[in-house]
Amino acid sequence: MAAEQRPLFSFGCIADAQYADLEDGDTEGRSQLYRQVPGKLRAALAELRAARPRVQLVLHLGDIVNGNAAGQAQCDREFDLVASIFDQELGGDVPALHVVGNHCLSVPREVLVKRLGIPETCYYSRSLGSGWRLVVLDTTEMSGHSGHAPGSRQHREAQEFLASHPMSDEDPQMSSWNGGITRQQLAWLRSELAAAEAAAERVIIASHHQLGQGGARATHMAWNWRDVQQVVLLASPAFRLALAGHDHMGGCACINGRHFVTLEALLEAPPGSNAFAVLHVFGDRIRIAGSGSVTSRELAV
């Protein structure tokens, strides 16, 4: 790669490993190849660790495990296996950053957070250098599966939001497998974007559920995506790209020059294939170099 063509930086990205020791699934005519996940994840992480230009981190967009009806002990073993694969394959050379997904919470939130090194709030930001910032959101915080105690601020707000936004043709995202961000997290996001604007930084958002209309199917969006998209993200000149998982088919939308991309799930990569990407960030564009079933894209920023 010639010097003038080198990216400012690069990072790896994987969506929905979603491991479980289960027979293959069949959802909407697509296969979920649960038992192939460990091998595919090892291969993906090994390729990302060896990638050139070197990746500065690997981002997993949520649902590291699926959950298993065999019980909590089995869920915990499956989680430990997949978490160990990240440790072994990245070897401390490349940090892994994790997004909380709805299936992740088949493991207690406090266990998930501690094992994966996620900050206690489960939303956080990191400088990427070169005038860029990564902001990670928790779209499970306001949900029926949040793992927060009944009576907690998060639980009360989820119940209030559900009551005022019943499932309907206008709100098809209000299913139990989706969730949203609380008022407190929304205020924090505003402050992060304001800080980025003041520092002349551009921002990449990562969340499990998609936040931009058309970036995923309407049934797989975050509960309060409209508020997040319109009132916060599109209102900030710093925001450039939102990455999500959850909708295993993937998707992409561009709204007012800002991009909303959902990565295809590793869980559903066909036999003999894989699903991950390297994002190369240039001054004027982001190149998503997809591997296997992840779509490659060139996004002007």
Side-chain angles (χ1 to χ4, degrees):
M1 187 177 289
E4 66 272 14
Q5 295 178 321
R6 289 188 67 83
L8 299 171
F9 59 89
S10 303
F11 65 94
C13 199
I14 301 172
D16 299 81
Q18 208 166 317
Y19 171 62
D21 184 12
L22 295 172
E23 298 290 339
D24 294 351
D26 182 359
T27 301
E28 301 171 325
R30 306 187 316 275
S31 297
Q32 295 74 51
L33 307 177
Y34 295 105
R35 289 180 176 143
Q36 294 187 20
V37 166
K40 290 180 178 180
L41 183 60
R42 286 187 187 280
L45 293 173
E47 286 199 42
L48 290 171
R49 183 180 180 184
R52 295 294 180 269
R54 181 180 173 85
V55 298
Q56 66 169 256
L57 60 90
V58 173
L59 176 66
H60 186 267
L61 291 165
D63 284 1
I64 189 171
V65 288
N66 179 75
N68 196 314
Q72 191 61 54
Q74 179 64 25
C75 292
D76 292 346
R77 284 191 292 271
E78 291 164 356
F79 171 61
D80 186 63
L81 172 62
V82 181
S84 296
I85 291 173
F86 276 90
D87 295 340
Q88 294 159 5
E89 294 300 331
L90 298 181
D93 296 338
V94 180
L97 298 184
H98 292 272
V99 177
V100 178
N102 51 302
H103 283 278
C104 291
L105 294 166
S106 60
V107 177
R109 184 179 282 266
E110 60 274 16
V111 174
L112 183 82
V113 165
K114 184 176 181 180
R115 181 69 176 83
L116 298 180
I118 302 172
E120 188 175 348
T121 59
C122 295
Y123 49 89
Y124 55 99
S125 70
R126 294 286 185 273
S127 171
L128 297 171
S130 303
W132 286 83
R133 179 182 302 206
L134 174 68
V135 175
V136 176
L137 301 177
D138 177 11
T139 52
T140 71
E141 187 190 23
M142 183 174 68
S143 69
H145 52 263
S146 70
H148 292 292
S152 65
R153 169 183 59 82
Q154 296 92 337
H155 185 264
R156 290 196 308 271
E157 190 167 338
Q159 295 306 305
E160 292 165 6
F161 197 88
L162 275 168
S164 59
H165 297 80
M167 173 80 82
S168 67
D169 290 342
E170 291 185 1
D171 283 311
Q173 79 279 10
M174 294 305 301
S175 61
S176 60
W177 61 78
N178 297 331
I181 72 175
T182 62
R183 290 184 290 269
Q184 182 170 300
Q185 188 179 167
L186 197 62
W188 174 86
L189 173 58
R190 285 195 179 96
S191 70
E192 283 294 312
L193 290 168
E197 292 166 24
E201 292 177 324
R202 290 180 282 183
V203 172
I204 297 171
I205 300 287
S207 61
H208 185 60
H209 301 86
Q210 182 56 259
L211 300 166
Q213 187 173 27
R217 289 175 291 173
T219 50
H220 285 63
M221 300 288 287
W223 279 359
N224 53 345
W225 67 266
R226 292 183 180 88
D227 288 341
V228 182
Q229 174 192 294
Q230 293 298 129
V231 179
V232 182
L233 297 183
L234 296 183
S236 172
F239 166 66
R240 291 294 186 276
L241 168 66
L243 294 168
H246 189 55
D247 191 351
H248 294 182
M249 297 171 63
C252 185
C254 182
I255 304 172
N256 298 341
R258 265 69 75 80
H259 304 282
F260 298 85
V261 174
T262 299
L263 255 66
E264 292 87 347
L266 184 145
L267 174 66
E268 295 187 4
S273 184
N274 214 327
F276 61 95
V278 177
L279 277 73
H280 301 293
V281 179
F282 299 83
D284 62 346
R285 67 196 186 281
I286 297 175
R287 177 179 300 146
I288 301 178
S291 289
S293 54
V294 170
T295 303
S296 294
R297 306 180 189 276
E298 194 94 4
L299 310 173
V301 295

